[in-house]
Amino acid sequence: MQHKKLQGDIESKNIGINQKGGGGKGKLEIKEQVCLCLFYWRTMPTFEVLGLHFGIWKTEVKDTFH
C-alpha cells in the first residue's frame, strides 16, 4: 500500500513520461499489419516500397514492422 503511494508520488513528479495508452494510434488495422509483415518477409522490399503498397509513410511501416 505504501509502495503504491510512493510510486505514484514519484511518477507524478517525473517530466516527459507518457501516460499509459498514449501516443498516436496506428493507421493500419491488425489484419493489414499482419499482411504488411508477411509481405515484407516474403519479398524483402524496402520500407519505402511497403509504404507505397499500403498507403502509409515509410516511418509508419518501420514502426509497424518493429
Side-chain angles (χ1 to χ4, degrees):
M1 193 80 154
Q2 175 114 8
H3 173 71
K4 288 184 180 182
K5 183 180 181 309
L6 288 173
Q7 188 69 23
D9 291 342
I10 291 170
E11 288 178 1
S12 68
K13 293 177 185 175
N14 288 338
I15 297 173
I17 294 179
N18 294 333
Q19 295 291 325
K20 288 185 179 180
K25 304 300 178 203
K27 293 195 174 187
L28 298 177
E29 295 181 14
I30 296 295
K31 294 186 292 187
E32 293 171 319
Q33 291 178 12
V34 170
C35 287
L36 183 144
C37 290
L38 291 174
F39 184 75
Y40 177 78
W41 285 330
R42 177 74 176 172
T43 61
M44 292 294 193
T46 63
F47 289 139
E48 190 169 343
V49 171
L50 273 175
L52 291 172
H53 279 286
F54 287 88
I56 57 177
W57 294 101
K58 66 179 179 181
T59 53
E60 293 173 29
V61 172
K62 181 183 71 75
D63 292 342
T64 300
F65 184 74
H66 291 284

